[in-house]
Amino acid sequence: MIMYYHSYMIDLPDALLAIAAGLNAILGFLILRQERNNITGTLYFLNILSILSWIAAALTYRNIADENLLFTTTQVLYIAPTVIASTFLLFSLYFPNKEKVGITRNFLIVFVPNILITIIILIPGLIIYDVAKFEGGENIIEFGDYYYIYAFYIISYFGSGIGILFNRYLHTKKTVEQRQIFSLLLVYFLATTLAFVTNLFLPWFGYFELNWLGQVFTLLMVLGVAYAIYQHKLFETKVILTELLVLVLLVFLFVQVLLSKESTDTAIGVTVFIVTAIVGILLIRNVNKEIHNRLEIKKLMAGLARANRRLQAMDKQKSEFVSIASHQLRSPLTAIRGYASMLLEESYGKFPPKAQKPLETIAESARMMAISIEDYLSVSRIESGNMKFDYSDFKLDEQAERVTDSLRQEATRSGLLLLFKKDLTSKSVVHADQGKVEQILHNLINNALKYTPKGSITVFLHDDTKAKRIFVEVIDTGIGMSEATQENIFHKFQRANNASSVNVHGTGLGLYVAKRMANEMKGDVYGFSEGEGKGSHFILELPLVH
Ligand code: ADP
């Protein structure tokens, strides 16, 4: 077989060595470009650089004619692996933690022995005694008496590096890191062990025919590292891989152009090369951009998550504050309302007629304030998830009529007509929280009263037995709502511009609370209007039991 490949134009070992050099060079270049700012990236690059010098020495060693230069080349061929071992050992010390701790000290510890062994190799006779060209086969080296020192040195350096990585593999708790280390360990262990056999031991025992294969085994490392970059985000970027792919493709196409004999082939080859180059550059750019964007988004998301957590905490605090404050306002207000009403009923004797109006204002303001406080409390209960629902079956028509009746006096006082109508086919029984339904109805009819200067308010009940829904409509002839208002009023604190001109009291919370409560009971509250001045229409919808 050895004789056989010599009949090729380019000999097989040289071709494989050239490929190994090419791929190592590409990987090294890309890693240097992407990772020059971190220590493991730099050390890995130096490792590839020393591998390259080893391959270059091998190519020279196999092809050089001059006997004197051959001896020097052989020395370089044996010095290069010591540097590969040193850079690998240093790399193993820093991988994957990218902190530059004690780098100078470690450099000295690793490289001082390296310089010593280099000097020993350079002294003729100690490690390498002589080298001779052998026609039809590999060169033959006569090793010196101290070759075992060299073997020991190389094995202990690589062994230490692999040992350190293995130890880290056993002790790291991060799975991604563990996988990265495993990939590297596997390929370095395989490549070095195989190279020890072909380039260290076999020549020692006089077999030189495979003294080039170790260099080719470095391809394993390139593939392993590329795999680790792809699969386990070694060196944190997939750009390297895309670039590697594009470059390999371009090199392949370029070689094809060089080898083409016909001019049409050359033309096609050049065109394909140019197109591939352009597409490749665009691809790399896109991948780069995508990675950049992803990092940006990740950063933004982390920021948003933090802001969101803070907002949630603040919102909770706010609800708690509102709840405490409202509770404290409630009891004095009850006293004010109680005494105002007793005064109005003349429980403390007659009051001067002049006091009638002020007393009524006190009573009315206190009533409005109680409603507002109830709204604030409801909001804080809804938002803190503390609103309790006490479900029972009851007849909605009876309740709606009762609430309407309770407000009729007030309507009459404002000169408004408050009507109650129903058109029902069912018994109007609903399964809901009676207190909450009352609060909702109160709110809707009260709003109609507040926002209707003159005319009438109709409370109208109807049902849809097929859909099993029942509706309470509150229809007024009041100030109406613009389209923009209709969209907003169910949000917290939203009041229309025309609302304050009619009624200054109001929190903008009533409808928000009503809708949230209705939704909780599997119903809804919604409203619409033909426009400002054209009256409004609000509806409470609930599921019907029977
Ligand atoms: P408040 O009445 O305390 O302001 P609500 O949440 O009950 O709060 O109502 C929100 C807004 O919806 C009111 O400020 C008003 O602009 C509008 N609105 C509610 N009911 C009516 C209605 N019947 N007619 C016209 N506008 C209304």
Side-chain angles (χ1 to χ4, degrees):
M1 179 194 157
I2 298 148
M3 301 304 288
Y4 182 70
Y5 66 67
H6 271 263
S7 63
Y8 275 99
M9 273 240 302
I10 304 172
D11 111 343
L12 182 67
D14 278 353
L16 289 175
L17 286 171
I19 291 172
L23 288 183
N24 268 299
I26 289 171
L27 187 64
F29 163 74
L30 297 175
I31 285 177
L32 182 69
R33 240 197 54 194
Q34 292 283 338
E35 302 287 324
R36 62 175 158 267
N37 293 330
N38 79 56
I39 181 75
T40 43
T42 313
L43 288 173
Y44 190 72
F45 172 74
L46 291 177
N47 187 242
I48 289 188
L49 212 60
S50 43
I51 290 175
L52 274 176
S53 63
W54 189 38
I55 301 175
L59 276 167
T60 320
Y61 167 83
R62 299 188 77 250
N63 294 295
I64 201 163
D66 186 317
E67 294 268 341
N68 283 333
L69 279 179
L70 178 62
F71 188 77
T72 315
T73 310
T74 311
Q75 287 177 323
V76 175
L77 187 67
Y78 282 78
I79 290 168
T82 66
V83 186
I84 300 175
S86 293
T87 47
F88 172 62
L89 183 55
L90 272 174
F91 171 79
S92 73
L93 281 173
Y94 287 90
F95 182 83
N97 301 324
K98 287 166 179 163
E99 273 173 47
K100 248 195 219 171
V101 192
I103 184 75
T104 326
R105 192 198 59 197
N106 288 336
F107 237 92
L108 286 177
I109 293 175
V110 170
F111 273 102
V112 168
N114 200 168
I115 292 168
L116 288 179
I117 193 84
T118 306
I119 293 169
I120 296 172
I121 296 167
L122 287 174
I123 298 172
L126 293 185
I127 308 276
I128 299 157
Y129 189 80
D130 198 9
V131 54
K133 281 199 98 56
F134 173 57
E135 266 317 303
E138 297 297 318
N139 300 337
I140 291 170
I141 304 167
E142 201 178 320
F143 294 109
D145 289 343
Y146 298 100
Y147 184 69
Y148 69 89
I149 294 180
Y150 178 79
F152 175 75
Y153 176 95
I154 286 284
I155 291 171
S156 52
Y157 259 58
F158 275 116
S160 309
I162 285 170
I164 290 168
L165 279 183
F166 187 63
N167 187 39
R168 199 157 303 145
Y169 169 74
L170 291 181
H171 289 101
T172 185
K173 289 190 178 60
K174 299 179 195 154
T175 35
V176 175
E177 232 174 71
Q178 211 171 29
R179 287 186 193 144
Q180 290 178 339
I181 298 172
F182 181 78
S183 311
L184 283 178
L185 253 179
L186 187 73
V187 288
Y188 268 81
F189 179 74
L190 266 181
T192 47
T193 318
L194 290 171
F196 287 161
V197 174
T198 58
N199 292 40
L200 198 66
F201 294 117
L202 288 181
W204 204 354
F205 300 113
Y207 186 79
F208 292 94
E209 293 308 322
L210 296 178
N211 199 9
W212 48 271
L213 206 51
Q215 283 87 338
V216 177
F217 288 139
T218 61
L219 277 177
L220 275 179
M221 298 178 187
V222 176
L223 293 181
V225 170
Y227 173 78
I229 289 173
Y230 177 71
Q231 200 63 26
H232 310 311
K233 301 199 173 59
L234 183 72
F235 295 124
E236 287 160 2
T237 171
K238 287 188 181 176
V239 187
I240 291 184
L241 217 71
T242 319
E243 290 175 331
L244 190 68
L245 208 77
V246 170
L247 274 173
V248 169
L249 201 64
L250 286 178
V251 168
F252 176 76
L253 291 173
F254 187 69
V255 170
Q256 218 181 18
V257 170
L258 287 184
L259 292 180
S260 59
K261 293 193 184 72
E262 309 247 331
S263 57
T264 45
D265 280 356
T266 315
I268 292 171
V270 168
T271 318
V272 172
F273 180 83
I274 291 171
V275 171
T276 312
I278 293 170
V279 172
I281 288 167
L282 290 178
L283 179 71
I284 290 168
R285 265 207 201 152
N286 269 342
V287 173
N288 241 328
K289 209 157 84 188
E290 200 195 307
I291 286 170
H292 180 78
N293 286 349
R294 212 175 312 147
L295 285 179
E296 248 342 69
I297 289 172
K298 231 169 145 184
K299 245 195 310 190
L300 286 176
M301 262 168 51
L304 274 181
R306 233 176 300 127
N308 203 20
R309 273 196 300 278
R310 264 191 34 217
L311 277 179
Q312 272 172 358
M314 271 162 63
D315 209 42
K316 195 154 166 261
Q317 280 175 351
K318 185 209 67 190
S319 288
E320 280 164 10
F321 169 76
V322 170
S323 164
I324 292 165
S326 313
H327 277 295
Q328 303 221 332
L329 291 173
R330 245 177 171 186
S331 32
L333 198 60
T334 313
I336 294 170
R337 287 184 71 187
Y339 285 117
S341 123
M342 275 150 79
L343 280 170
L344 275 169
E345 287 160 9
E346 303 192 321
S347 305
Y348 301 102
K350 276 203 165 300
F351 55 82
K354 265 204 306 202
Q356 173 84 22
K357 187 92 184 101
L359 277 176
E360 272 176 12
T361 312
I362 291 173
E364 176 60 11
S365 304
R367 191 180 74 86
M368 300 304 288
M369 196 167 166
I371 293 176
S372 300
I373 289 175
E374 218 36 62
D375 282 349
Y376 281 121
L377 270 174
S378 298
V379 170
S380 90
R381 274 193 218 110
I382 287 172
E383 292 183 350
S384 58
N386 284 332
M387 183 160 271
K388 303 267 177 308
F389 286 81
D390 187 9
Y391 285 93
S392 63
D393 286 354
F394 60 92
K395 293 185 84 168
L396 186 63
D397 61 341
E398 286 173 8
Q399 197 194 21
E401 190 159 11
R402 215 175 28 246
V403 177
T404 313
D405 287 344
S406 75
L407 290 167
R408 184 154 296 112
Q409 214 186 357
E410 197 187 324
T412 317
R413 218 182 306 142
S414 315
L416 297 167
L417 196 60
L418 180 56
L419 302 169
F420 180 81
K421 284 186 191 166
K422 60 182 179 185
D423 176 12
L424 293 166
T425 47
S426 69
K427 289 189 189 141
S428 91
V429 176
V430 292
H431 181 73
D433 181 321
Q434 204 163 356
K436 306 277 189 296
V437 172
E438 178 161 341
Q439 199 179 330
I440 297 170
L441 289 171
H442 234 278
N443 179 269
L444 296 185
I445 304 172
N446 234 333
N447 273 353
L449 290 173
K450 276 196 304 194
Y451 301 114
T452 306
K454 64 172 197 299
S456 67
I457 292 136
T458 309
V459 178
F460 174 49
L461 246 87
H462 59 99
D463 54 9
D464 180 345
T465 42
K466 242 195 240 148
K468 290 196 121 342
R469 307 295 279 180
I470 184 160
F471 309 86
V472 185
E473 300 204 11
V474 181
I475 307 151
D476 67 45
T477 56
I479 60 170
M481 293 177 287
S482 68
E483 218 162 288
T485 307
Q486 293 176 45
E487 278 173 23
N488 281 330
I489 47 174
F490 289 97
H491 294 136
K492 254 192 289 183
F493 302 114
Q494 291 300 322
R495 306 193 70 209
N497 293 334
N498 64 358
S500 347
S501 58
V502 186
N503 192 309
V504 282
H505 298 290
T507 53
L509 290 174
L511 288 177
Y512 167 77
V513 171
K515 194 178 182 82
R516 291 285 297 256
M517 291 197 303
N519 288 160
E520 189 65 37
M521 297 185 283
K522 307 216 160 35
D524 202 1
V525 169
Y526 41 91
F528 50 87
S529 162
E530 305 251 298
E532 287 193 15
K534 294 187 178 158
S536 306
H537 207 125
F538 280 87
I539 299 158
L540 163 65
E541 180 185 330
L542 284 173
L544 185 64
V545 177
H546 54 84

